[in-house]
Amino acid sequence: MSIAPPTTTKPKVVICIGDIHGYITKLQNLWSNLQTLIPPSDFHYARIIFLGDYCDRGPHTREVLDFLIALPSKYPNQSHVFLAGNHDFAFAAFLGAIPPPPDGSAFSDTWEEFKPSEEREGWYKDDGYEKMHLQGRRWAGKITVKFNTAKGTEYKGSIYDAGTTFESYGVPHGSSDLMKAVPDDHKKFLSNLVWIYEEENVSIETENGLQSCKLIAVHGGLEKGKDVKEQIKYLKEKDTRIPKVEPLSGRKSVWDIPEELSKSATIVVSGHHGKLHVDGLRLIIDEGGGMEQNPVAAIVLPSKTIVRDTDKL
């Protein structure tokens, strides 16, 4: 059945989907709910922005990546944006699926600043570690403390809870065998993830009616007190010299819209924070936080409708 595109006078539907963290059933149920809720002409021609963190914590990272990789061929009239989360970046770093530092420096240069944490976090020290980015070593490491007091949960293998990702590919946590076990199309998917996405003329419902805005999507957010243009530049370039990419992994530093953007109508949408927070044009869509008992949520623009995998539609 062919579905006609929506009329050009209607604002384009943009769907932003929060962190999935290896929960395939939640992703399937959320997708089904979006399909039920949104009229077919809007859904089939929508822009879908995945906000990152597809792996770790939940048990089915491999199946989640299969689902995401298949979307463009299953829904050829949609456009799909796949952002890198801090977990995906670390997974890709372990596999060698990130670009080399632009200045020709070695990935081992990223270790120095965080060396004091190496013992506690039990950084990966097996095949290939000498040429690995800091976050790849942390991701595949074996953390020496068992309990994450901030989250009230036990660590799953590493500080990133990557044990479940290893298991989804049939290998034990921390094993270099994962490099061979991950299929090439998954490595390609991870290496193609963008660190930031920008789009002009995105419509959103506000107190003053429908407003046309610029949209910036980045997993954690943009840092306050740092030049926004500079941040956008290095995020677009995927500058892997940086040991810890704050817009992918920061917390308080990236929570708010930077002051220089608040002067113009700019939506900043992120996942990452383990919260659902809609405040004006700042949208944080991560109700799940990778916790088994929490839903995975999406926001549909322009209406700002929140859709969850648990909704009974």
Side-chain angles (χ1 to χ4, degrees), residues 202-238:
V202 173
S203 297
I204 186 169
E205 290 287 356
T206 69
E207 291 168 354
N208 307 316
L210 202 63
Q211 189 173 2
S212 180
C213 299
K214 178 173 181 164
L215 177 140
I216 296 175
V218 57
H219 180 64
L222 292 170
E223 279 187 271
K224 60 184 176 193
K226 300 270 175 82
D227 184 81
V228 168
K229 279 193 181 133
E230 281 298 310
Q231 291 185 67
I232 290 171
K233 182 173 181 287
Y234 84 72
L235 290 166
K236 278 187 168 171
E237 290 170 356
K238 301 207 268 196

PDB file of all heavy atoms in Angstrom, residues 202-238:
ATOM      1  N   VAL A 202      12.084  23.663  12.331  1.00  0.00           N
ATOM      2  CA  VAL A 202      11.335  22.593  13.003  1.00  0.00           C
ATOM      3  C   VAL A 202      10.231  23.263  13.818  1.00  0.00           C
ATOM      4  O   VAL A 202      10.497  24.189  14.585  1.00  0.00           O
ATOM      5  CB  VAL A 202      12.258  21.745  13.910  1.00  0.00           C
ATOM      6  CG1 VAL A 202      11.450  20.745  14.729  1.00  0.00           C
ATOM      7  CG2 VAL A 202      13.303  21.022  13.055  1.00  0.00           C
ATOM      8  N   SER A 203       9.003  22.799  13.643  1.00  0.00           N
ATOM      9  CA  SER A 203       7.860  23.420  14.330  1.00  0.00           C
ATOM     10  C   SER A 203       7.635  22.782  15.697  1.00  0.00           C
ATOM     11  O   SER A 203       7.802  21.568  15.862  1.00  0.00           O
ATOM     12  CB  SER A 203       6.596  23.271  13.489  1.00  0.00           C
ATOM     13  OG  SER A 203       6.750  23.952  12.267  1.00  0.00           O
ATOM     14  N   ILE A 204       7.255  23.627  16.657  1.00  0.00           N
ATOM     15  CA  ILE A 204       6.972  23.142  18.013  1.00  0.00           C
ATOM     16  C   ILE A 204       5.848  23.989  18.618  1.00  0.00           C
ATOM     17  O   ILE A 204       5.796  25.212  18.411  1.00  0.00           O
ATOM     18  CB  ILE A 204       8.253  23.190  18.896  1.00  0.00           C
ATOM     19  CG1 ILE A 204       8.011  22.543  20.270  1.00  0.00           C
ATOM     20  CG2 ILE A 204       8.804  24.604  19.027  1.00  0.00           C
ATOM     21  CD1 ILE A 204       9.294  22.309  21.077  1.00  0.00           C
ATOM     22  N   GLU A 205       4.961  23.330  19.322  1.00  0.00           N
ATOM     23  CA  GLU A 205       3.883  24.047  20.020  1.00  0.00           C
ATOM     24  C   GLU A 205       4.468  24.767  21.237  1.00  0.00           C
ATOM     25  O   GLU A 205       5.188  24.167  22.032  1.00  0.00           O
ATOM     26  CB  GLU A 205       2.802  23.065  20.491  1.00  0.00           C
ATOM     27  CG  GLU A 205       1.964  22.459  19.370  1.00  0.00           C
ATOM     28  CD  GLU A 205       0.966  23.432  18.759  1.00  0.00           C
ATOM     29  OE1 GLU A 205       0.849  24.580  19.252  1.00  0.00           O
ATOM     30  OE2 GLU A 205       0.327  23.049  17.765  1.00  0.00           O
ATOM     31  N   THR A 206       4.141  26.061  21.370  1.00  0.00           N
ATOM     32  CA  THR A 206       4.586  26.834  22.532  1.00  0.00           C
ATOM     33  C   THR A 206       3.372  27.558  23.122  1.00  0.00           C
ATOM     34  O   THR A 206       2.276  27.493  22.573  1.00  0.00           O
ATOM     35  CB  THR A 206       5.652  27.883  22.135  1.00  0.00           C
ATOM     36  OG1 THR A 206       5.018  28.889  21.332  1.00  0.00           O
ATOM     37  CG2 THR A 206       6.803  27.257  21.358  1.00  0.00           C
ATOM     38  N   GLU A 207       3.608  28.278  24.202  1.00  0.00           N
ATOM     39  CA  GLU A 207       2.520  29.064  24.820  1.00  0.00           C
ATOM     40  C   GLU A 207       1.942  30.071  23.829  1.00  0.00           C
ATOM     41  O   GLU A 207       0.784  30.471  23.919  1.00  0.00           O
ATOM     42  CB  GLU A 207       3.055  29.828  26.046  1.00  0.00           C
ATOM     43  CG  GLU A 207       3.422  28.917  27.200  1.00  0.00           C
ATOM     44  CD  GLU A 207       4.205  29.658  28.277  1.00  0.00           C
ATOM     45  OE1 GLU A 207       4.549  30.841  28.064  1.00  0.00           O
ATOM     46  OE2 GLU A 207       4.472  29.035  29.317  1.00  0.00           O
ATOM     47  N   ASN A 208       2.778  30.496  22.882  1.00  0.00           N
ATOM     48  CA  ASN A 208       2.338  31.504  21.900  1.00  0.00           C
ATOM     49  C   ASN A 208       1.930  30.862  20.575  1.00  0.00           C
ATOM     50  O   ASN A 208       1.970  31.503  19.533  1.00  0.00           O
ATOM     51  CB  ASN A 208       3.464  32.523  21.656  1.00  0.00           C
ATOM     52  CG  ASN A 208       3.969  33.123  22.947  1.00  0.00           C
ATOM     53  OD1 ASN A 208       3.158  33.482  23.796  1.00  0.00           O
ATOM     54  ND2 ASN A 208       5.277  33.215  23.121  1.00  0.00           N
ATOM     55  N   GLY A 209       1.580  29.590  20.610  1.00  0.00           N
ATOM     56  CA  GLY A 209       1.177  28.901  19.383  1.00  0.00           C
ATOM     57  C   GLY A 209       2.355  28.203  18.721  1.00  0.00           C
ATOM     58  O   GLY A 209       3.414  28.000  19.332  1.00  0.00           O
ATOM     59  N   LEU A 210       2.181  27.842  17.474  1.00  0.00           N
ATOM     60  CA  LEU A 210       3.201  27.093  16.729  1.00  0.00           C
ATOM     61  C   LEU A 210       4.386  27.992  16.407  1.00  0.00           C
ATOM     62  O   LEU A 210       4.214  29.099  15.904  1.00  0.00           O
ATOM     63  CB  LEU A 210       2.571  26.561  15.441  1.00  0.00           C
ATOM     64  CG  LEU A 210       3.240  25.363  14.780  1.00  0.00           C
ATOM     65  CD1 LEU A 210       3.205  24.139  15.681  1.00  0.00           C
ATOM     66  CD2 LEU A 210       2.554  25.048  13.459  1.00  0.00           C
ATOM     67  N   GLN A 211       5.596  27.522  16.735  1.00  0.00           N
ATOM     68  CA  GLN A 211       6.798  28.328  16.495  1.00  0.00           C
ATOM     69  C   GLN A 211       7.760  27.527  15.630  1.00  0.00           C
ATOM     70  O   GLN A 211       7.932  26.319  15.826  1.00  0.00           O
ATOM     71  CB  GLN A 211       7.449  28.673  17.836  1.00  0.00           C
ATOM     72  CG  GLN A 211       8.577  29.687  17.726  1.00  0.00           C
ATOM     73  CD  GLN A 211       9.089  30.133  19.091  1.00  0.00           C
ATOM     74  OE1 GLN A 211       8.636  29.669  20.130  1.00  0.00           O
ATOM     75  NE2 GLN A 211      10.049  31.044  19.100  1.00  0.00           N
ATOM     76  N   SER A 212       8.392  28.195  14.674  1.00  0.00           N
ATOM     77  CA  SER A 212       9.402  27.553  13.833  1.00  0.00           C
ATOM     78  C   SER A 212      10.779  27.850  14.415  1.00  0.00           C
ATOM     79  O   SER A 212      11.135  29.008  14.639  1.00  0.00           O
ATOM     80  CB  SER A 212       9.310  28.070  12.400  1.00  0.00           C
ATOM     81  OG  SER A 212      10.280  27.435  11.605  1.00  0.00           O
ATOM     82  N   CYS A 213      11.543  26.792  14.686  1.00  0.00           N
ATOM     83  CA  CYS A 213      12.820  26.930  15.408  1.00  0.00           C
ATOM     84  C   CYS A 213      13.928  26.179  14.691  1.00  0.00           C
ATOM     85  O   CYS A 213      13.680  25.299  13.868  1.00  0.00           O
ATOM     86  CB  CYS A 213      12.701  26.316  16.807  1.00  0.00           C
ATOM     87  SG  CYS A 213      11.470  27.078  17.857  1.00  0.00           S
ATOM     88  N   LYS A 214      15.140  26.503  15.076  1.00  0.00           N
ATOM     89  CA  LYS A 214      16.271  25.635  14.764  1.00  0.00           C
ATOM     90  C   LYS A 214      16.272  24.513  15.798  1.00  0.00           C
ATOM     91  O   LYS A 214      15.926  24.745  16.967  1.00  0.00           O
ATOM     92  CB  LYS A 214      17.580  26.413  14.848  1.00  0.00           C
ATOM     93  CG  LYS A 214      18.797  25.543  14.589  1.00  0.00           C
ATOM     94  CD  LYS A 214      20.073  26.330  14.499  1.00  0.00           C
ATOM     95  CE  LYS A 214      21.217  25.379  14.211  1.00  0.00           C
ATOM     96  NZ  LYS A 214      22.414  26.062  13.744  1.00  0.00           N
ATOM     97  N   LEU A 215      16.627  23.302  15.394  1.00  0.00           N
ATOM     98  CA  LEU A 215      16.739  22.187  16.337  1.00  0.00           C
ATOM     99  C   LEU A 215      18.180  21.690  16.349  1.00  0.00           C
ATOM    100  O   LEU A 215      18.805  21.523  15.293  1.00  0.00           O
ATOM    101  CB  LEU A 215      15.793  21.049  15.932  1.00  0.00           C
ATOM    102  CG  LEU A 215      15.863  19.776  16.793  1.00  0.00           C
ATOM    103  CD1 LEU A 215      14.468  19.202  17.030  1.00  0.00           C
ATOM    104  CD2 LEU A 215      16.756  18.695  16.161  1.00  0.00           C
ATOM    105  N   ILE A 216      18.702  21.498  17.553  1.00  0.00           N
ATOM    106  CA  ILE A 216      20.015  20.868  17.745  1.00  0.00           C
ATOM    107  C   ILE A 216      19.787  19.629  18.606  1.00  0.00           C
ATOM    108  O   ILE A 216      19.202  19.716  19.692  1.00  0.00           O
ATOM    109  CB  ILE A 216      21.018  21.814  18.433  1.00  0.00           C
ATOM    110  CG1 ILE A 216      21.302  23.037  17.549  1.00  0.00           C
ATOM    111  CG2 ILE A 216      22.320  21.081  18.763  1.00  0.00           C
ATOM    112  CD1 ILE A 216      22.200  24.086  18.205  1.00  0.00           C
ATOM    113  N   ALA A 217      20.213  18.486  18.106  1.00  0.00           N
ATOM    114  CA  ALA A 217      20.113  17.238  18.860  1.00  0.00           C
ATOM    115  C   ALA A 217      21.523  16.764  19.199  1.00  0.00           C
ATOM    116  O   ALA A 217      22.375  16.648  18.318  1.00  0.00           O
ATOM    117  CB  ALA A 217      19.376  16.175  18.041  1.00  0.00           C
ATOM    118  N   VAL A 218      21.766  16.513  20.485  1.00  0.00           N
ATOM    119  CA  VAL A 218      23.067  16.023  20.952  1.00  0.00           C
ATOM    120  C   VAL A 218      22.795  15.211  22.213  1.00  0.00           C
ATOM    121  O   VAL A 218      21.938  15.575  23.020  1.00  0.00           O
ATOM    122  CB  VAL A 218      24.061  17.195  21.170  1.00  0.00           C
ATOM    123  CG1 VAL A 218      23.521  18.224  22.149  1.00  0.00           C
ATOM    124  CG2 VAL A 218      25.432  16.700  21.615  1.00  0.00           C
ATOM    125  N   HIS A 219      23.477  14.101  22.385  1.00  0.00           N
ATOM    126  CA  HIS A 219      23.106  13.115  23.389  1.00  0.00           C
ATOM    127  C   HIS A 219      22.949  13.691  24.796  1.00  0.00           C
ATOM    128  O   HIS A 219      21.955  13.453  25.475  1.00  0.00           O
ATOM    129  CB  HIS A 219      24.114  11.965  23.414  1.00  0.00           C
ATOM    130  CG  HIS A 219      23.799  10.906  24.423  1.00  0.00           C
ATOM    131  ND1 HIS A 219      22.670  10.131  24.351  1.00  0.00           N
ATOM    132  CD2 HIS A 219      24.450  10.516  25.551  1.00  0.00           C
ATOM    133  CE1 HIS A 219      22.636   9.294  25.381  1.00  0.00           C
ATOM    134  NE2 HIS A 219      23.704   9.503  26.132  1.00  0.00           N
ATOM    135  N   GLY A 220      23.951  14.444  25.267  1.00  0.00           N
ATOM    136  CA  GLY A 220      23.884  15.014  26.622  1.00  0.00           C
ATOM    137  C   GLY A 220      23.399  16.450  26.625  1.00  0.00           C
ATOM    138  O   GLY A 220      22.579  16.847  27.443  1.00  0.00           O
ATOM    139  N   GLY A 221      23.923  17.256  25.710  1.00  0.00           N
ATOM    140  CA  GLY A 221      23.582  18.670  25.619  1.00  0.00           C
ATOM    141  C   GLY A 221      24.814  19.474  25.265  1.00  0.00           C
ATOM    142  O   GLY A 221      25.885  18.911  25.033  1.00  0.00           O
ATOM    143  N   LEU A 222      24.672  20.775  25.214  1.00  0.00           N
ATOM    144  CA  LEU A 222      25.809  21.660  24.935  1.00  0.00           C
ATOM    145  C   LEU A 222      26.271  22.308  26.234  1.00  0.00           C
ATOM    146  O   LEU A 222      25.461  22.650  27.095  1.00  0.00           O
ATOM    147  CB  LEU A 222      25.409  22.723  23.910  1.00  0.00           C
ATOM    148  CG  LEU A 222      25.129  22.172  22.499  1.00  0.00           C
ATOM    149  CD1 LEU A 222      24.498  23.239  21.625  1.00  0.00           C
ATOM    150  CD2 LEU A 222      26.406  21.636  21.843  1.00  0.00           C
ATOM    151  N   GLU A 223      27.586  22.461  26.347  1.00  0.00           N
ATOM    152  CA  GLU A 223      28.154  22.987  27.602  1.00  0.00           C
ATOM    153  C   GLU A 223      27.867  24.472  27.770  1.00  0.00           C
ATOM    154  O   GLU A 223      27.982  25.244  26.815  1.00  0.00           O
ATOM    155  CB  GLU A 223      29.675  22.816  27.589  1.00  0.00           C
ATOM    156  CG  GLU A 223      30.149  21.447  27.953  1.00  0.00           C
ATOM    157  CD  GLU A 223      31.660  21.429  28.087  1.00  0.00           C
ATOM    158  OE1 GLU A 223      32.345  21.187  27.084  1.00  0.00           O
ATOM    159  OE2 GLU A 223      32.157  21.665  29.206  1.00  0.00           O
ATOM    160  N   LYS A 224      27.517  24.834  29.002  1.00  0.00           N
ATOM    161  CA  LYS A 224      27.366  26.267  29.287  1.00  0.00           C
ATOM    162  C   LYS A 224      28.748  26.868  29.502  1.00  0.00           C
ATOM    163  O   LYS A 224      29.683  26.179  29.938  1.00  0.00           O
ATOM    164  CB  LYS A 224      26.456  26.478  30.495  1.00  0.00           C
ATOM    165  CG  LYS A 224      26.925  25.844  31.777  1.00  0.00           C
ATOM    166  CD  LYS A 224      25.903  26.038  32.882  1.00  0.00           C
ATOM    167  CE  LYS A 224      26.360  25.309  34.135  1.00  0.00           C
ATOM    168  NZ  LYS A 224      25.301  25.203  35.130  1.00  0.00           N
ATOM    169  N   GLY A 225      28.859  28.139  29.156  1.00  0.00           N
ATOM    170  CA  GLY A 225      30.139  28.832  29.365  1.00  0.00           C
ATOM    171  C   GLY A 225      31.201  28.509  28.340  1.00  0.00           C
ATOM    172  O   GLY A 225      32.345  28.938  28.464  1.00  0.00           O
ATOM    173  N   LYS A 226      30.866  27.711  27.324  1.00  0.00           N
ATOM    174  CA  LYS A 226      31.823  27.397  26.247  1.00  0.00           C
ATOM    175  C   LYS A 226      31.208  27.885  24.932  1.00  0.00           C
ATOM    176  O   LYS A 226      29.986  27.798  24.745  1.00  0.00           O
ATOM    177  CB  LYS A 226      32.071  25.885  26.152  1.00  0.00           C
ATOM    178  CG  LYS A 226      32.640  25.246  27.409  1.00  0.00           C
ATOM    179  CD  LYS A 226      34.156  25.271  27.386  1.00  0.00           C
ATOM    180  CE  LYS A 226      34.760  24.762  28.683  1.00  0.00           C
ATOM    181  NZ  LYS A 226      34.832  23.318  28.757  1.00  0.00           N
ATOM    182  N   ASP A 227      32.054  28.360  24.033  1.00  0.00           N
ATOM    183  CA  ASP A 227      31.574  28.884  22.754  1.00  0.00           C
ATOM    184  C   ASP A 227      30.788  27.809  21.991  1.00  0.00           C
ATOM    185  O   ASP A 227      31.292  26.714  21.745  1.00  0.00           O
ATOM    186  CB  ASP A 227      32.774  29.354  21.926  1.00  0.00           C
ATOM    187  CG  ASP A 227      32.351  29.996  20.628  1.00  0.00           C
ATOM    188  OD1 ASP A 227      31.990  31.172  20.638  1.00  0.00           O
ATOM    189  OD2 ASP A 227      32.341  29.291  19.593  1.00  0.00           O
ATOM    190  N   VAL A 228      29.541  28.141  21.650  1.00  0.00           N
ATOM    191  CA  VAL A 228      28.666  27.150  21.020  1.00  0.00           C
ATOM    192  C   VAL A 228      29.189  26.753  19.640  1.00  0.00           C
ATOM    193  O   VAL A 228      29.196  25.572  19.287  1.00  0.00           O
ATOM    194  CB  VAL A 228      27.207  27.678  20.939  1.00  0.00           C
ATOM    195  CG1 VAL A 228      26.352  26.810  20.034  1.00  0.00           C
ATOM    196  CG2 VAL A 228      26.596  27.723  22.336  1.00  0.00           C
ATOM    197  N   LYS A 229      29.668  27.735  18.867  1.00  0.00           N
ATOM    198  CA  LYS A 229      30.176  27.417  17.515  1.00  0.00           C
ATOM    199  C   LYS A 229      31.350  26.452  17.587  1.00  0.00           C
ATOM    200  O   LYS A 229      31.475  25.532  16.774  1.00  0.00           O
ATOM    201  CB  LYS A 229      30.599  28.708  16.796  1.00  0.00           C
ATOM    202  CG  LYS A 229      29.414  29.455  16.189  1.00  0.00           C
ATOM    203  CD  LYS A 229      29.890  30.535  15.229  1.00  0.00           C
ATOM    204  CE  LYS A 229      28.673  31.269  14.672  1.00  0.00           C
ATOM    205  NZ  LYS A 229      28.822  32.720  14.712  1.00  0.00           N
ATOM    206  N   GLU A 230      32.241  26.680  18.551  1.00  0.00           N
ATOM    207  CA  GLU A 230      33.399  25.792  18.728  1.00  0.00           C
ATOM    208  C   GLU A 230      32.950  24.369  19.074  1.00  0.00           C
ATOM    209  O   GLU A 230      33.483  23.383  18.574  1.00  0.00           O
ATOM    210  CB  GLU A 230      34.318  26.318  19.840  1.00  0.00           C
ATOM    211  CG  GLU A 230      35.219  27.455  19.414  1.00  0.00           C
ATOM    212  CD  GLU A 230      36.175  27.041  18.296  1.00  0.00           C
ATOM    213  OE1 GLU A 230      36.837  25.996  18.422  1.00  0.00           O
ATOM    214  OE2 GLU A 230      36.236  27.762  17.277  1.00  0.00           O
ATOM    215  N   GLN A 231      31.954  24.278  19.972  1.00  0.00           N
ATOM    216  CA  GLN A 231      31.434  22.955  20.350  1.00  0.00           C
ATOM    217  C   GLN A 231      30.842  22.242  19.142  1.00  0.00           C
ATOM    218  O   GLN A 231      31.125  21.064  18.908  1.00  0.00           O
ATOM    219  CB  GLN A 231      30.352  23.098  21.432  1.00  0.00           C
ATOM    220  CG  GLN A 231      30.870  23.557  22.776  1.00  0.00           C
ATOM    221  CD  GLN A 231      29.767  23.551  23.822  1.00  0.00           C
ATOM    222  OE1 GLN A 231      29.272  22.487  24.199  1.00  0.00           O
ATOM    223  NE2 GLN A 231      29.384  24.725  24.302  1.00  0.00           N
ATOM    224  N   ILE A 232      30.019  22.972  18.381  1.00  0.00           N
ATOM    225  CA  ILE A 232      29.373  22.363  17.209  1.00  0.00           C
ATOM    226  C   ILE A 232      30.435  21.894  16.215  1.00  0.00           C
ATOM    227  O   ILE A 232      30.328  20.812  15.640  1.00  0.00           O
ATOM    228  CB  ILE A 232      28.361  23.347  16.579  1.00  0.00           C
ATOM    229  CG1 ILE A 232      27.158  23.519  17.520  1.00  0.00           C
ATOM    230  CG2 ILE A 232      27.910  22.869  15.204  1.00  0.00           C
ATOM    231  CD1 ILE A 232      26.186  24.622  17.126  1.00  0.00           C
ATOM    232  N   LYS A 233      31.474  22.695  16.060  1.00  0.00           N
ATOM    233  CA  LYS A 233      32.554  22.355  15.104  1.00  0.00           C
ATOM    234  C   LYS A 233      33.223  21.035  15.486  1.00  0.00           C
ATOM    235  O   LYS A 233      33.337  20.124  14.667  1.00  0.00           O
ATOM    236  CB  LYS A 233      33.573  23.502  15.067  1.00  0.00           C
ATOM    237  CG  LYS A 233      34.720  23.291  14.083  1.00  0.00           C
ATOM    238  CD  LYS A 233      35.583  24.557  14.009  1.00  0.00           C
ATOM    239  CE  LYS A 233      36.732  24.409  13.026  1.00  0.00           C
ATOM    240  NZ  LYS A 233      37.815  23.538  13.499  1.00  0.00           N
ATOM    241  N   TYR A 234      33.645  20.897  16.742  1.00  0.00           N
ATOM    242  CA  TYR A 234      34.369  19.665  17.095  1.00  0.00           C
ATOM    243  C   TYR A 234      33.432  18.462  17.165  1.00  0.00           C
ATOM    244  O   TYR A 234      33.852  17.315  16.928  1.00  0.00           O
ATOM    245  CB  TYR A 234      35.244  19.847  18.346  1.00  0.00           C
ATOM    246  CG  TYR A 234      34.592  19.685  19.700  1.00  0.00           C
ATOM    247  CD1 TYR A 234      34.199  18.433  20.162  1.00  0.00           C
ATOM    248  CD2 TYR A 234      34.426  20.779  20.552  1.00  0.00           C
ATOM    249  CE1 TYR A 234      33.623  18.277  21.419  1.00  0.00           C
ATOM    250  CE2 TYR A 234      33.860  20.636  21.807  1.00  0.00           C
ATOM    251  CZ  TYR A 234      33.456  19.376  22.227  1.00  0.00           C
ATOM    252  OH  TYR A 234      32.885  19.217  23.469  1.00  0.00           O
ATOM    253  N   LEU A 235      32.160  18.710  17.469  1.00  0.00           N
ATOM    254  CA  LEU A 235      31.197  17.599  17.478  1.00  0.00           C
ATOM    255  C   LEU A 235      30.926  17.108  16.058  1.00  0.00           C
ATOM    256  O   LEU A 235      30.835  15.901  15.812  1.00  0.00           O
ATOM    257  CB  LEU A 235      29.894  18.027  18.155  1.00  0.00           C
ATOM    258  CG  LEU A 235      29.989  18.245  19.676  1.00  0.00           C
ATOM    259  CD1 LEU A 235      28.769  18.983  20.196  1.00  0.00           C
ATOM    260  CD2 LEU A 235      30.164  16.919  20.414  1.00  0.00           C
ATOM    261  N   LYS A 236      30.819  18.037  15.116  1.00  0.00           N
ATOM    262  CA  LYS A 236      30.622  17.642  13.717  1.00  0.00           C
ATOM    263  C   LYS A 236      31.839  16.880  13.185  1.00  0.00           C
ATOM    264  O   LYS A 236      31.707  15.948  12.399  1.00  0.00           O
ATOM    265  CB  LYS A 236      30.370  18.882  12.850  1.00  0.00           C
ATOM    266  CG  LYS A 236      28.930  19.361  12.898  1.00  0.00           C
ATOM    267  CD  LYS A 236      28.719  20.477  11.892  1.00  0.00           C
ATOM    268  CE  LYS A 236      27.240  20.742  11.721  1.00  0.00           C
ATOM    269  NZ  LYS A 236      26.990  21.951  10.934  1.00  0.00           N
ATOM    270  N   GLU A 237      33.012  17.310  13.629  1.00  0.00           N
ATOM    271  CA  GLU A 237      34.262  16.672  13.160  1.00  0.00           C
ATOM    272  C   GLU A 237      34.546  15.355  13.878  1.00  0.00           C
ATOM    273  O   GLU A 237      35.413  14.598  13.473  1.00  0.00           O
ATOM    274  CB  GLU A 237      35.441  17.631  13.369  1.00  0.00           C
ATOM    275  CG  GLU A 237      35.419  18.825  12.433  1.00  0.00           C
ATOM    276  CD  GLU A 237      36.438  19.896  12.805  1.00  0.00           C
ATOM    277  OE1 GLU A 237      37.114  19.744  13.853  1.00  0.00           O
ATOM    278  OE2 GLU A 237      36.558  20.878  12.054  1.00  0.00           O
ATOM    279  N   LYS A 238      33.817  15.081  14.968  1.00  0.00           N
ATOM    280  CA  LYS A 238      34.074  13.897  15.808  1.00  0.00           C
ATOM    281  C   LYS A 238      35.547  13.865  16.237  1.00  0.00           C
ATOM    282  O   LYS A 238      36.303  12.977  15.875  1.00  0.00           O
ATOM    283  CB  LYS A 238      33.671  12.603  15.074  1.00  0.00           C
ATOM    284  CG  LYS A 238      32.215  12.572  14.680  1.00  0.00           C
ATOM    285  CD  LYS A 238      31.653  11.160  14.565  1.00  0.00           C
ATOM    286  CE  LYS A 238      31.741  10.582  13.216  1.00  0.00           C
ATOM    287  NZ  LYS A 238      30.884   9.390  13.012  1.00  0.00           N
TER     288      LYS A 238
END
